[in-house]
Amino acid sequence: MSARLNHPSIATAGRPVRFWYDGQPVDGLEGETIAASLAASGIKAMRHTRGNERRGLYCGMGACFDCLVTVDGQASQRACLTKVAEGQQVRSTLPAGTPDDPLQPLTPEAGAEPARRQVDVLVVGAGPAGLSAALAARQAGAEVLVLDERLESGGQFYKPLAPSHRAATPSDRQFAQGLALAQDVRAAGVTVIQGAQVWAAFSPTEVAAVIDGRATVIECRQLVIAPGAYERPVPFPGWTLPGVMTTGAGQTLARAYRVSPGRRVVIAGNGPLNLQLAAELLAGGAEVVAVLESAPRPSLRHWRQLLAAARTAPDLVVDGWRYLRRLRAAGVPVLWGHAVVEAQGDADATSGLRRVEIARIDAQGRAVPGTRRTLEADTLCLGYGFIPSTELARMLGCAHRLADRHLGHLATITQEDGATSVPGVYVVGDGADLGGSRVALARGALAGAAAAHNLGLHAKASATLADAPARLHRAECFQQALWSIYTPPPVTLAAVPDDTLLCRCEEVSFGSVREQIRAGADTLAAIKRNTRLGMGRCQARYCAVTAGRLVAELTGRPPEVEQYFAPRPPAKPVPAGALGFEKPEWGGHKPAITPNLARPVEHAPLEPLRTDVLVIGAGVLGACLGYFLSKAGRDVTVVDRDDLNLQASGANAGSLHVQLLSFDFGAKAQEGGGPAAATLPLGPMSVRLWQEIESDCGEDLEIKITGGLMVADSEAGMRFLEAKAALERRHGIDAQVIDGADLRRLSPALSGELLGAELCPMEGKINPLRATYAVARRAQQQGARVLRGCDVQAIERLPGAGAGYVVRTSRGVIHAGRVVNASGAWSSAIGRMLGITIPVKGAPLQMIVTEPAPPLVNHLVAHADRHLSLKQAASGGLIVGGGWTAAFNEDMRLNRAVRDSIEGNLWVARRVLPAVRGLHMVRCWAGMNVNIDGAPILGEVPGCPGFYNAVTSNGYTLAPVTAQLVTELIVRGRTDFDITPFRIERFL
């Protein structure tokens, strides 16, 4: 059987090309993707994972990032979206990042600032909903711009024929309708840009995109978001094997590129889309082994639903009947009430899928004993339903609800015309909620007309627009009938084996997640920090809903909208080099308000509790206090209004600083730099304590003391470093200034334009996603209590010496002999409860992480004149920060990254480490730093015996030494180290 499908009305249009994949020649057609050419040649294995497994084409639409390849030195190119070219060098591995095998830039050199476009209506997505909205808005007189990531308009539904093929006339109604709509849109004067990546929506009127490799900011008066949906994950043993893909991926190969996804294809899932794919593959000459449908066979009990479907969409009912007839004629079994139990391959992982084990399932979705059998196949297409792409809508703060279909998912709350809770923002199509193409077309038309109406423009009367509400009603009735006919058994994850992968990107197993939940890390945020689930390139698209369902099953807590990961840019990984633009520098951190960001899941009332020491705040400092106090034999309770490590500490980048930050010395420093300089001796002490804690915990905290480099690219910067290093040496810090030649020997990947650096050997990094939890676990083993969901609301000092305090929390009253204020940026609020002024403010900061890279930098890198902190994590990703400001969104109750900070941060990073231009930014998040005067606030508060402060602005580095000093004060009444410079009296 040829892997190229045939059709009487479709001919090859692209000229033959030859490229090289992992050193072997592969023949393809001009106009098709690398994935299509590889599939036509029977090659399935692509990306290598950190666990030495292989991945292949999975989603086929650029959402899963499993089909990544290196193309002519450009890393992490999606084979499903990248066109083939003559002589291309394609490989499944990353470049080495060396001069002989560099990371080639992903985009042209960025200019001085992003390009800008202004438009009346911006439509994101060129599927049925987006094209329909664009046409309606344009017909009303609006200037309309459509941005779409795909190579051709039409989206997942229409899947137009690729330029590699041509047809004199459309081969079916679906192709014809898609072509007609796309032509109408362009004929109306809508500007449509394909291959444009919309990576963030910073406001309803400001959207960021990369167009032709250049960063572009679109200023729009109305925004229509129509991003479509992606197929939901269905985990079972072997679901990550090359050859296991979604039905959508198989259909894209078949319809757009006329390539069969495999030699022997099994199709499994829920819904008629699987029947369509099977029929189309058969018609093209492919071998379909079987079609598995999880729903039971329709019968007379469905007569009402069948009648409703026939009345509202008779043509689609006829299509379904034709698919079944074609399969029956070809002898392809359609197995109703069956599902895949396991996908199996050979020992050679590159060979991919070989066998599919299936079974009949009962009404609860469980495999019926004795019904398992094995099908020989090299391809398995899975289509079990969809999940809306809500990333942009959530970035803007649009209200969402939980939809309870299959695993459950978020759906954007909209009015009939797609209007959301955010004025000027419309979300339509399956990107809002699942409804199918006809619902998308009708809602798109209503949204486009409504957006234009908001601009004072009115659509001309047309039958299409006038009929939209009626078409919408019919389409919704059909969809409800279809879902009723195809009602599958409920989804349960209890039977999924522990060694099955839940997170494809980070290779996190079901067993690992179950272990975390049983250990108390029973929120998605805690699981993410403990396991890295959801931190990969797909940004949790293929694991979040599964993990959320698993949490609900094991805890009994009903799912909530806010349980899912916070919306962060980018919507998908974006070339980091395209986004860097120089920004003005400033001194220190920019202080801001410190709102309550807590989203607790624990609310049960506490039994009356007495404790010797109550620590308020369960970040890294609170965990360290619990550790040292319990180790000293004290009865200690640590409380947090949210959960352990979920605010500032859990959003930390994990730098271990010993030298002064550039803005803590010289003209930029607060209070002349004196308080920060007084803190210098604490750094080495604290780093050594971290090493001791790691040994005591018996866990790998990923502490690497590889030294810090503060680089300079000017003579003034070098003089600054000389003066700073001299001061640091006077305080006992090992620091020396090296020239450019020595710098390049130490770290050859850094820019050749750097003149030198200050080297501080004691600096390094730690994994803050592991360390806080490890310290807290050890503290609990030593007898400390850690209570979450305890929002401290009032503190009352009891009369009499040593009488202690009554602390009223959201979960009950706690009597404490002593209270330690370790609530970081929120410390001033705790102080006010006792009439104490604590001069602490919050400083929302953003951080960036790239995709995994080859080894590039071993040191903690900073800059003498610019805000920068850069290091390479154990995962391979570059963590980029340095104090760039984030912003608080009051409506969303979230600190959010801002575009200027992202651009400025990446500009500095790119100048220091040119290889950044060859990497994608995967995540950008915001945390909260503490803004004081450069030094901690430690010790007992005068006039308030038994109330202690433990607050520091360099929280992760100094947490152990700060906690140890406060513990000494509580246990012995004194410290061996003079803490006079850090007492609150300096402010009185």
Side-chain angles (χ1 to χ4, degrees), residues 526-871:
I527 293 168
K528 178 179 182 179
R529 286 162 170 80
N530 278 280
T531 67
R532 292 190 56 82
L533 178 138
M535 291 191 176
R537 293 180 179 92
C538 93
Q539 297 167 318
R541 283 175 173 84
Y542 294 96
C543 65
V545 293
T546 309
R549 180 60 173 262
L550 193 60
V551 168
E553 287 186 7
L554 291 180
T555 65
R557 288 199 313 266
E560 298 178 352
V561 169
E562 290 188 340
Q563 76 176 6
Y564 293 104
F565 301 130
R568 308 289 191 198
K572 288 181 182 175
V574 62
L579 307 184
F581 301 97
E582 186 176 11
K583 304 294 178 183
E585 277 290 324
W586 71 98
H589 299 132
K590 297 178 181 178
I593 62 170
T594 50
N596 182 351
L597 306 176
R599 290 170 169 82
V601 298
E602 189 70 70
H603 305 283
L606 295 171
E607 295 291 329
L609 177 62
R610 291 185 178 272
T611 186
D612 181 14
V613 183
L614 177 67
V615 177
I616 303 174
V620 64
L621 190 44
C624 285
L625 281 160
Y627 171 81
F628 282 109
L629 286 164
S630 60
K631 193 172 186 178
R634 288 297 186 268
D635 176 45
V636 56
T637 301
V638 183
V639 300
D640 198 284
R641 64 184 174 189
D642 197 341
D643 206 343
L644 177 70
N645 201 38
L646 285 198
Q647 293 300 330
S649 297
N652 193 277
S655 300
L656 293 178
H657 294 289
V658 170
Q659 62 178 310
L660 293 171
L661 300 174
S662 62
F663 47 76
D664 280 336
F665 177 78
K668 296 179 182 178
Q670 291 179 282
E671 304 298 327
T679 309
L680 280 167
L682 298 180
M685 294 166 57
S686 208
V687 170
R688 285 189 285 270
L689 283 173
W690 268 125
Q691 293 170 316
E692 293 173 12
I693 289 170
E694 182 180 49
S695 177
D696 185 40
C697 289
E699 298 186 39
D700 180 11
L701 307 186
E702 297 179 10
I703 297 174
K704 305 294 182 187
I705 308 304
T706 53
L709 292 168
M710 183 171 287
V711 301
D713 53 14
S714 67
E715 292 296 341
M718 291 298 292
R719 291 193 297 272
F720 174 88
L721 292 180
E722 291 282 4
K724 186 170 82 73
L727 171 70
E728 289 161 343
R729 287 192 293 268
R730 290 197 296 272
H731 284 82
I733 303 298
D734 182 3
Q736 57 180 303
V737 177
I738 59 175
D739 62 17
D742 285 340
L743 176 60
R744 277 177 279 285
R745 281 191 290 270
L746 270 179
S747 194
L750 295 183
S751 171
E753 297 182 3
L754 298 172
L755 301 184
E758 179 186 350
L759 171 64
C760 183
M762 194 65 182
E763 288 198 312
K765 55 198 173 188
I766 188 172
N767 186 342
L769 305 181
R770 288 190 176 187
T772 305
Y773 292 106
V775 175
R777 276 192 294 271
R778 188 71 182 112
Q780 288 171 301
Q781 291 166 4
Q782 295 170 168
R785 303 179 197 87
V786 178
L787 303 176
R788 60 183 180 171
C790 283
D791 185 14
V792 173
Q793 298 169 340
I795 306 175
E796 178 187 352
R797 180 185 165 198
L798 296 174
Y805 295 83
V806 173
V807 180
R808 304 186 189 281
T809 79
S810 56
R811 295 182 58 195
V813 175
I814 300 174
H815 294 262
R818 298 174 179 84
V819 174
V820 182
N821 181 10
S823 47
W826 295 269
S827 295
S828 58
I830 298 297
R832 284 195 295 271
M833 294 180 188
L834 289 167
I836 301 167
T837 299
I838 303 174
V840 172
K841 292 184 179 179
L845 304 180
Q846 66 143 58
M847 284 138 285
I848 292 168
V849 66
T850 72
E851 63 189 327
L856 294 173
V857 288
N858 200 32
H859 299 80
L860 172 62
V861 180
H863 196 288
D865 303 311
R866 305 226 177 230
H867 282 69
L868 178 68
S869 170
L870 187 151
K871 55 189 167 292

Side-chain angles (χ1 to χ4, degrees), residues 294-296 301 337 360-368 487-492:
S294 60
R301 71 179 184 276
R360 186 160 55 86
I361 54 177
D362 62 20
Q364 300 306 311
R366 298 170 300 209
V368 176
T487 300
V491 176
T492 177

